[in-house]
Amino acid sequence: MCAVQAIMMMAFSSMNPFLALFIGQLGVHNPRAIDLWAGVVASANFLMSAIMSPVWGSVADKRGKKLMVMRTTLAIAIATSLMGLSRNVYELLFIRMLQGAFSGFSASANALVASTIPEERLGFALGWLSTFAMVGSLVGPLLGGVLVDTFHDNYRIVFYLTAAFATTAFLLTWALIREPKTSLHESKAAGRRMGLIGQFKAVRDLRTVQVMFFVLFAAQFSVMSVQPVLPLYIRELVGRNAQLLGVIGTLSGACFAVTGIADLIFSPFLGKRSDRIGYRKVLSISLVGAALCYIPQALAPSVWVFMLGRFLLGAFIGGILPTANALVGRMTPKEMRGRVYGLTASSTFLGSFAGPLIGGAVSAGFGIRVMLAAVILLYLVNFAWVRWRVPEWRDGEETNGAHTSS
């Protein structure tokens, strides 16, 4: 699953840094319009994913989680191939929405791993899953950037590369991954006992899961708000430097990749620490650290300072989503984890939807630096929420009555 996770993140990350530039090739030339369209197109598939994730989570609990991993890898392969054939921004938007309706890879992968890994090592396991995701996030943008510059700004080649990655992940899942029979039987039995509405009612009684919705939403919103306008910000920082203007694609990929390098280094460490010192503590440290790392990005006088800020950010990003997902897994019965991870994935997808949309709008209206300053504030708000509402789990028992209904 770690290998599949790495390949899928290569698929996702290889095209994201260049989406705004591709929109310019599709006939949108006004810089402000490109900012807005970049936000809308980047957000569209996440909105559909947020709507559909609970449905796919319910299917995973009934039919098996491996099947859901295969479904989403195949859907992404087909959709990204069609994106490479899009003739205008409207077709691109429609295909992104179609992709979102059939995606949900991270939720399926998390549910499959969380249903098989020993409880006391869940944070460590999800930390490694996040690490291999960062390996993919590191290689994807670099490979995509080099291809774009090699083929003289032909962004369509990156979509075909993405489709090839997703197809490889589908074949690996089909051939090599085995869902444990006990987990599969438990899922099917739970699906027979409880319908879709019943499962929603059961989740309502898990107060911690409800509290974590905002944590996951705000964390993903903060990360994704920067992505659609990142290439444009790098172009602004490069200015009239003719030497750097010729490698904008490579620089954009590198700014994504350095975050992945830092995440690769620190994510397993933070995941293991969360199992030992507490999920709430690691979440708090990571959120404050991420907020501080946006300061050099917002004030960056050059692309190199911005890149340094992106590297420092990766050291703390690796402690947010894996730790939050591990806490959700520890406080959720195994037979409900497909459903619960589907719901928490909806929160993450809503953050991925709102982040690029609002980030693009704020950047178009007030400038990218103002948007980066707003992200700092949001991280601090998320930190305050964690300290106020998120309970801790220690030695197999959570404090603050996490299972009581709110």
Side-chain angles (χ1 to χ4, degrees), residues 31 163 183 221 258 325:
S183 174
F221 180 99
V258 294
N325 281 319

Side-chain angles (χ1 to χ4, degrees), residues 58-94:
S58 178
V59 175
D61 281 337
K62 294 178 180 179
R63 303 297 181 186
K65 299 169 182 64
K66 174 185 172 179
L67 182 63
M68 292 301 99
V69 175
M70 293 174 60
R71 173 194 55 77
T72 185
T73 52
L74 183 60
I76 290 169
I78 295 172
T80 49
S81 296
L82 294 175
M83 286 182 211
L85 301 173
S86 58
R87 296 165 296 179
N88 55 62
V89 72
Y90 301 102
E91 290 183 359
L92 180 65
L93 175 61
F94 175 76

Side-chain angles (χ1 to χ4, degrees), residues 216-237:
L216 292 165
F217 168 81
Q220 195 69 6
F221 180 99
S222 303
V223 172
M224 295 299 295
S225 61
V226 181
Q227 291 197 8
V229 295
L230 188 88
L232 307 175
Y233 188 43
I234 291 172
R235 181 182 289 170
E236 176 186 321
L237 292 174

